[in-house]
Amino acid sequence: MTVQWLCYNRSETFRGEQAQHKSMARRHNIDGRPTIAQIARIAGVSVPTVSKVLNGRADVSLPTREKVERIIEEYGFVRNRAARALRKGKTGLVDLLLPRLDDEYYLPILEGVAQVLRDAGLRLVLTATDYKSEEEVRWIATVTDHSTDGILVMLPSERAIEQLERAGLPFVLIHNQGGLQAMAPSVRITSWEGGFVATTHLIRLGHRRIAYIGKTSPARDAIERIAGYRAALDAAGLPLMPELECDGDFTEASGYQATLRLLELPEPPTAIFAGNDRQAAGVYRALHERGLAVPDQMSVVGFDNLPYTEIMNPPLTTIHAPRLELGRTAATMLLRLINGEQLEMPRVVLPTHLVERQSCSPPRQQQE
Amino acid sequence: MTVQWLCYNRSETFRGEQAQHKSMARRHNIDGRPTIAQIARIAGVSVPTVSKVLNGRADVSLPTREKVERIIEEYGFVRNRAARALRKGKTGLVDLLLPRLDDEYYLPILEGVAQVLRDAGLRLVLTATDYKSEEEVRWIATVTDHSTDGILVMLPSERAIEQLERAGLPFVLIHNQGGLQAMAPSVRITSWEGGFVATTHLIRLGHRRIAYIGKTSPARDAIERIAGYRAALDAAGLPLMPELECDGDFTEASGYQATLRLLELPEPPTAIFAGNDRQAAGVYRALHERGLAVPDQMSVVGFDNLPYTEIMNPPLTTIHAPRLELGRTAATMLLRLINGEQLEMPRVVLPTHLVERQSCSPPRQQQE
DNA sequence: AAGAAAGCCGAAATCGTTTTCTAGAAGAAA
DNA sequence: TTTCTTCTAGAAAACGATTTCGGCTTTCTT
């Protein structure tokens, strides 16, 4: 685990401050957290005046401002956010809905969102649906209660989008599956192009029999990837080989099983485009079990560029999916929406690119 | 990427409902979201009655209740959470502070927290400090504004803990560094025992020269791990070998570099306890570069049991850190605290255990 | 049939902040 | 001195829900 050295400050300072707060509180009969009203009373001014100081308004004289600021500091006063949210109609919170949390794929997206939000002074409310529509429904009901200023949804269902549009809150879709909500603000990646580039890379190396794993998923991204694969074959004048298009649900296990089946073919492929990195890991495992070397006896390309592809053995050539940017872009767009601005580009597609490492080489002997 | 098939419902239903809402709203001159007052007016009852229906109070007659419920349903009314939070003093939100997001180590912890919170109907506010104390200070100020009901802090600094105690909000520490705040509620893992067990495992296999990587970190967990390592050597009657205790900041790169240095020793170790899995990955890379086979020429043990250790080649023997349970336990404790209950066990330590895979074997030739 | 108890419902206060809007004071212009 | 601005500061009304408490009907007791 990555344990790092956090800043250890002298606690003495804070002890002191704490004591000071205590005594002040006692002196003025303050029980729990002070409110604006209490601060006002202590400072000998009115409530709106304190509020003005808090909000940096101009119509407060310097002496008054300083006095109030001193009291605020002394008592460690913090505004009650609920009251503020109620009055202003803004909560300073943004919702992010993910299908699941135990998937490192989403991590950089989450991070990108968090970065942008933090810079904007907003906070992130995270919810995972576990792909359960029941959860999704529950979440949708809860999300429209004005507890957040805007919503980011990953891989939304049609139903979720409908609800969102109805609620009238700003939202941005990440990895939208496409479909009916063509005009909703969304951010995606060029999955088709990624599939095309990955396959073309293998073709250029001389491969003629190239397998693809991940045919089954009906998700938009998966469909695009296999379409890119087929287009690349087609563009190179190569025939489609249905026996080389394997089922796969984008898990390590399915990559493993698909590879075993491929190896049992009378004429196995010389390269495998694994659909995603997790399946590529399964491909590696199967190949290793069968004693086949990567890339000498089989070239492998992944998709996503997960962190561990760098430390795979050999390091995996893969398509980089710009996930951090995905998160940053979506969050930036949402911020605009929350500010009431128009999006000149409501539907953004972020480019993927090939990351060459060491899992590909020309085939041992050319086919034909 | 793991794209899965989300539930696609017929959107017709929702179109219909939406239209219905619209017309209703028009009929009663409702602009944006309806409030309790508007619902009350439409239903011909008073505001408190609607509130009672919403909260399932008993003193509402069945016909009234049904009428109100119908109106609520028809207008798609949702309570404004800010108003509710202000009045009740509870926000339904819990804060989780992580050092950083781009580290998959934290993922299961996050997931555990999310699970428990979701079951309790609370929502999770996520903040990352990036180890910057500036961020931490900003966060601490923002966290005490009653925008959440409780706080979970990972790897807290002393300063953060002081602030937390002062704020008077319920909080639980995860991976507390120890130190002064001995009595604050916290959850940790048995790092010492993990180090002991990992080392003992290697000793039992017959290893006598066992290296440890990760000496430098002053973090509590790191200190415990190396202490466990030393204790195991001691318990087995083996001498400590300072030249085999390597620096390491728990990154892949430091594991790599430490291994290269170890291999240059006049008498290299026969086994490496890598401190964590990331360093173990670096060890693998260095060994592979030098043409040394795992486990035949070098045994390796990791720590944490990150997901990718299973697909390493060979699969890594490591110490399992129960991170999901860490998150679940911390969240459960916090929930108790929020409910005003006492914690019979405020300081919980969760056990680690050895996960044997294929990166360890007896040394080729016994030393001495 | 009178009084008590129970069941329903609503008026009003409240949570803590922000936002007018107005009143007074001070200073400037005449 | 009078009048007109310009500053400051505060009173009062939101924001949208919950909660307390009292009044009005019923129904039940005796």
Side-chain angles (χ1 to χ4, degrees), chain A residues 160-196:
Chain A
I161 301 173
E162 298 266 357
Q163 288 273 64
L164 249 22
E165 288 188 329
R166 188 159 93 201
L169 281 173
F171 68 94
V172 174
L173 275 16
I174 303 178
H175 278 315
N176 184 16
Q177 304 264 9
L180 306 178
Q181 273 61 35
M183 293 323 293
S186 65
V187 192
R188 297 187 305 118
I189 60 172
T190 58
S191 282
W192 184 90
E193 190 179 298
F196 188 88

Side-chain angles (χ1 to χ4, degrees), chain A residues 1-9 11 14-15 17-18 21 33 78-83 85-86 93 95 101-107 110-111 114 118 123-126 128 130-131 133 135 138 141-148 155-159 162-163 166-167 175 177 180 217-219 221-222 225 250 252 276 278 281 288 304 308 311 313, chain B residues 1-9 11 14-15 17-18 21 33 78-83 85-86 93 95 101-107 110-111 114 118 123-126 128 130-131 133 135 138 141-148 155-159 162-163 166-167 175 177 180 217-219 221 225 250 252 276 278 281 288 303-304 308 311 313:
Chain A
M1 126 191 201
T2 309
V3 258
Q4 297 205 9
W5 191 228
L6 293 173
C7 104
Y8 270 38
N9 295 288
S11 50
F14 282 87
R15 283 276 164 67
E17 276 186 43
Q18 185 170 13
H21 284 239
R33 307 199 66 62
V78 206
R79 277 183 284 209
N80 180 314
R81 185 176 287 247
L86 174 59
L93 260 28
D95 248 296
L101 252 23
D102 61 349
D103 188 336
E104 62 194 311
Y105 177 86
Y106 299 117
L107 212 43
L110 176 55
E111 157 124 50
R118 190 178 52 201
R123 295 162 75 204
L124 173 65
V125 179
L126 189 66
D130 274 331
Y131 294 104
S133 71
E135 286 298 332
R138 190 147 78 101
T142 204
V143 116
T144 51
D145 63 0
H146 270 206
S147 61
T148 59
L155 282 172
S157 68
E158 296 282 337
R159 176 165 182 172
E162 298 266 357
Q163 288 273 64
R166 188 159 93 201
H175 278 315
Q177 304 264 9
L180 306 178
S217 173
D221 273 283
R225 283 173 201 191
F250 294 86
E252 199 264 353
N276 75 344
R278 231 189 298 273
H288 187 254
D304 288 344
Y308 66 69
I311 60 171
N313 187 7
Chain B
M1 110 179 224
T2 309
V3 258
Q4 297 207 9
W5 191 227
L6 293 174
C7 105
Y8 268 40
N9 295 290
S11 48
F14 282 86
R15 284 275 165 67
E17 275 185 43
Q18 184 170 15
H21 285 238
R33 308 199 66 63
V78 206
R79 278 181 286 207
N80 180 315
R81 186 177 287 249
L86 173 60
L93 260 28
D95 248 297
L101 252 23
D102 61 349
D103 188 337
E104 61 192 312
Y105 177 84
Y106 300 118
L107 211 43
L110 175 56
E111 156 125 51
R118 190 177 52 199
R123 294 164 74 205
L124 172 65
V125 179
L126 189 65
D130 273 330
Y131 294 105
S133 72
E135 286 297 335
R138 188 147 79 100
T142 204
V143 116
T144 51
D145 64 359
H146 271 206
S147 61
T148 58
L155 283 172
S157 68
E158 295 282 336
R159 177 165 180 172
E162 298 266 358
Q163 289 272 68
R166 189 159 92 201
H175 278 316
Q177 304 265 8
L180 307 177
S217 172
D221 273 284
R225 283 173 201 191
F250 293 86
E252 199 264 352
N276 75 344
R278 232 188 297 272
H288 187 254
F303 201 119
D304 287 346
Y308 66 69
I311 61 171
N313 188 8

Side-chain angles (χ1 to χ4, degrees), chain B residues 24 28 30 34 37-45 67 71 74-75:
Chain B
M24 279 290 179
H28 283 276
I30 290 186
Q38 287 164 326
I39 295 295
R41 188 151 38 77
I42 295 162
V45 298
K67 181 173 57 184
I71 305 281
E74 274 174 6
Y75 285 82

Side-chain angles (χ1 to χ4, degrees), chain A residues 279-294:
Chain A
Q279 288 186 154
V283 172
Y284 269 45
R285 180 157 64 95
L287 294 175
H288 187 254
E289 260 185 36
R290 290 290 183 274
L292 294 173
V294 178

